[in-house]
């Protein structure tokens, strides 16, 4: 087993593994997960997504707890009455839900804009006061606004990762035989490290914001001259820069914090802004990444964002207008990127999967392994404008 006797048990009991679930794991008569599940990250992710729905919780992440005023809001990470209203059609947008793929064949589904990009991360007071600079004022590319976009993306990621950990703990609790499955144990270890990384990053944000210091970010902002039909706010730790130089060892079990970037894309009337940020203390590690992005021309930047956004973000919303402009093939290509699903090569040869060629299949493999060429033009276009 990959868990030590004196480690805190992965079921969430706070006891050591030896004093908690070790005996249950060894004597468990439960059937281990089948090889078809363990060899398929999509199946594991689906199982976790099902359990994730039962792990939602409410908390205010702002450090000044004395000013908290209930209730905890199911607040938007993207502005409802501004950004989401612009891309909505009949008050609905297209958002990601992996469970919907099982029901309807697509993980992208139509939802009310009131329910899109929400999470229980701040109390009513802090959500309204702290974020008023980006909720009530037009975007002006100032230090405070850029920091707040990144802070809210980090808070949502922190909330999500806590839920993921709880979901896996519930798996171990309900089926102790999972302690015998190295793949599942390693999945927990890596997700726990990822949670620790975001926790440390949140501490840096909270320290700055609590001291009214928003000048803690390095930012690059690009203004597109068209109002596009999608929006996103997300954070991730890039494994490589645009030419393959390692930036983060995302599979390392070293406790050193990975260096995160924060991306926001928001349409306004007649324009769209792309904002990429990182903590100033991380910029030396990510400098090449930022410089390469800044040197892209507009067409190259669109290709880059077409790849990076669906690969790294579940918190992306599309306009039903954009979704309606895509062909079924484009939708399937987009879904492959969002879900990391590649299917079976043997079935592809039989014509059972939407792959045109061996190159398409290998690109699917790269997506699963996080090694895509972010400068390869995909077969969908987030920047497609509605034909008139």
């Amino acid at each position: 087993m990959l868990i030590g006797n004196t480690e805190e048990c992965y079921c969430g009991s706070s006891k050591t593994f030896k004093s908690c679930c070790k005996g249950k794991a060894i004597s468990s008569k439960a059937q281990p997960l089948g090889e078809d599940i363990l060899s398929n990250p999509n199946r594991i992710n689906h199982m976790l997504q099902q359990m994730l729905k039962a792990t939602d919780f409410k908390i205010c992440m702002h450090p000044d707890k004395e000013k908290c005023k209930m209730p905890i809001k199911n607040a938007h990470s993207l502005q409802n009455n501004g950004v989401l209203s612009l891309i909505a059609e009949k008050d609905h947008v297209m958002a990601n839900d992996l469970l919907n793929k099982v029901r309807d064949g697509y993980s992208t589904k139509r939802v009310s804009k009131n329910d899109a990009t929400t999470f229980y991360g701040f109390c009513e007071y802090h959500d309204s006061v702290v974020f008023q600079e980006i909720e009530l004022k037009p975007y002006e590319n100032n230090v405070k606004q850029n920091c707040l976009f990144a802070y809210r993306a980090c808070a949502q990621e922190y909330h999500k990762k806590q839920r993921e950990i709880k979901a896996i703990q519930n798996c171990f609790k309900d089926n102790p035989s999972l302690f015998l499955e190295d793949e599942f144990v390693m999945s927990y270890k890596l997700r726990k490290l990822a949670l620790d990384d975001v926790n440390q990053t949140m501490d840096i944000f909270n320290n700055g914001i609590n001291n009214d210091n928003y000048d803690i970010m390095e930012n690059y902002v690009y203004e597109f001259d068209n109002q596009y039909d999608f929006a996103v706010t997300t954070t991730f730790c890039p494994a490589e820069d645009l030419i393959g130089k390692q930036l983060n060892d995302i599979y390392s079990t070293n406790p050193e914090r990975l260096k995160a970037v924060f991306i926001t894309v928001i349409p306004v009337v007649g324009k769209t802004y792309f904002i990429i940020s990182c903590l100033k203390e991380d910029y030396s590690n990510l400098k090449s990444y930022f410089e390469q992005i800044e040197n892209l021309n507009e067409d190259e930047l669109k290709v880059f964002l077409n790849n990076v956004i669906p690969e790294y973000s579940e918190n992306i919303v599309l306009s039903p207008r954009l979704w309606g402009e895509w062909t079924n093939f484009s939708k399937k290509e987009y879904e492959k990127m969002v879900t990391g699903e590649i299917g079976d090569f043997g079935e592809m040869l039989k014509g059972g999967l939407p792959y045109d060629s061996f190159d398409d299949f290998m690109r699917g493999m790269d997506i699963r392994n996080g090694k895509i060429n972010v400068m390869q033009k995909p077969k969908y276009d987030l920047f497609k404008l509605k034909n008139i």
Side-chain angles (χ1 to χ4, degrees):
M1 287 183 283
L2 293 180
I3 178 173
N5 285 335
T6 58
E7 285 189 65
E8 188 172 302
C9 191
Y10 295 173
C11 75
S13 68
S14 299
K15 299 177 183 178
T16 64
F17 176 57
K18 183 178 180 180
S19 302
C20 191
C21 286
K22 183 176 181 179
K24 299 175 188 176
I26 294 173
S27 62
S28 176
K29 296 181 180 179
Q31 289 295 320
L33 292 179
E35 194 63 33
D36 60 324
I37 294 178
L38 291 174
S39 63
N40 188 341
N42 301 318
R43 294 288 299 279
I44 293 177
N45 284 336
H46 173 64
M47 184 172 67
L48 293 177
Q49 284 289 328
Q50 287 182 306
M51 298 197 71
L52 193 61
K53 285 204 166 185
T55 62
D56 209 355
F57 68 99
K58 300 179 181 182
I59 188 174
C60 183
M61 298 187 190
H62 194 277
D64 190 356
K65 304 300 183 186
E66 292 184 359
K67 292 183 179 178
C68 282
K69 293 181 181 179
M70 298 296 119
I72 302 296
K73 289 189 66 176
N74 193 18
H76 293 267
S77 59
L78 288 165
Q79 184 187 15
N80 185 18
N81 292 324
V83 173
L84 296 181
S85 292
L86 282 176
I87 66 175
E89 189 173 63
K90 297 181 179 179
D91 290 329
H92 283 73
V93 296
M94 307 299 296
N96 184 52
D97 178 0
L98 287 178
L99 296 182
N100 195 64
K101 188 172 182 65
V102 178
R103 295 187 293 267
D104 300 328
Y106 288 109
S107 66
T108 305
K109 72 172 184 179
R110 188 180 179 92
V111 300
S112 167
K113 72 181 183 68
N114 294 328
D115 298 326
T117 76
T118 57
F119 71 110
Y120 291 104
F122 293 96
C123 70
E124 185 172 18
Y125 173 79
H126 285 119
D127 184 69
S128 58
V129 172
V130 173
F131 298 106
Q132 62 182 344
E133 188 79 15
I134 55 177
E135 287 289 337
L136 303 179
K137 298 181 181 180
Y139 180 65
E140 298 174 339
N141 186 15
N142 62 49
V143 167
K144 186 173 183 178
Q145 286 180 324
N146 291 336
C147 181
L148 288 174
F149 277 122
Y151 177 49
R152 194 153 60 178
C154 189
Q156 184 174 42
E157 185 71 7
Y158 187 42
H159 190 270
K160 184 188 79 171
K161 288 193 180 303
Q162 290 183 77
R163 293 180 63 194
E164 287 178 349
I165 289 295
K166 185 62 177 176
I168 301 177
Q169 288 174 341
N170 288 339
C171 288
F172 283 118
K173 186 187 301 182
D174 294 340
N175 187 357
S177 67
L178 289 174
F179 284 103
L180 306 176
E181 305 290 354
D182 289 349
E183 293 88 347
F184 207 86
V185 172
M186 183 55 66
S187 175
Y188 178 84
K189 286 178 178 286
L190 291 175
R191 289 173 190 263
K192 186 65 167 62
L193 285 170
L195 174 62
D196 292 342
D197 285 344
V198 183
N199 184 24
Q200 293 177 56
T201 305
M202 279 294 292
D203 286 343
I204 297 170
F205 272 114
N206 282 333
N207 182 62
I209 288 172
N210 210 30
N211 291 289
D212 203 29
N213 175 21
Y214 298 91
D215 192 18
I216 59 175
M217 311 297 294
E218 288 285 345
N219 308 289
Y220 170 64
V221 179
Y222 187 87
E223 179 183 311
F224 293 99
D225 289 333
N226 285 300
Q227 178 183 321
Y228 292 111
D229 272 336
F230 73 97
V232 64
T233 180
T234 189
T235 177
F236 60 93
C237 300
E240 299 175 342
D241 66 13
L242 273 60
I243 60 173
K245 175 187 173 184
Q246 186 177 77
L247 299 173
N248 286 296
D249 184 356
I250 59 175
Y251 296 109
S252 172
T253 55
N254 188 313
E256 181 181 356
R257 179 176 62 84
L258 298 181
K259 309 305 187 280
V261 299
F262 307 86
I263 284 181
T264 298
V265 177
I266 48 170
V268 298
V269 176
K271 298 178 181 180
T272 301
Y273 290 100
F274 158 61
I275 310 160
I276 183 168
S277 310
C278 72
L279 293 169
K280 282 189 172 181
E281 62 185 74
D282 293 343
Y283 183 69
S284 60
N285 297 84
L286 298 169
K287 184 178 179 181
S288 64
Y289 193 66
F290 274 72
E291 290 179 342
Q292 290 159 7
I293 293 170
E294 291 175 31
N295 287 330
L296 298 176
N297 62 40
E298 185 166 298
D299 288 339
E300 291 170 334
L301 181 58
K302 288 178 179 179
V303 171
F304 170 78
L305 292 174
N306 263 312
N307 283 301
V308 168
I309 288 173
E311 180 192 9
Y312 287 116
S313 178
E314 298 171 7
N315 195 37
I316 177 173
V317 288
L318 313 177
S319 171
R321 294 184 296 270
L322 176 61
W323 188 252
E325 285 292 304
W326 285 354
T327 65
N328 287 337
F329 182 77
S330 292
K331 291 174 182 177
K332 289 176 180 177
E333 289 293 306
Y334 172 78
E335 291 273 311
K336 283 191 290 185
M337 183 69 84
V338 169
T339 64
E341 185 171 318
I342 65 168
D344 179 79
F345 183 59
E347 289 299 314
M348 183 202 80
L349 294 177
K350 299 175 186 177
L353 289 174
Y355 293 94
D356 281 348
S357 66
F358 179 75
D359 288 340
D360 276 349
F361 179 79
M362 293 308 297
R363 178 169 170 79
M365 288 291 293
D366 287 341
I367 292 169
R368 172 187 281 188
N369 296 324
K371 297 179 179 179
I372 69 163
N373 177 2
V374 295
M375 298 312 300
Q376 179 180 333
K377 190 174 182 178
K379 296 176 182 178
Y380 56 85
D381 186 8
L382 292 169
F383 296 87
K384 184 177 178 64
L385 294 170
K386 183 175 176 61
N387 292 323
I388 301 176

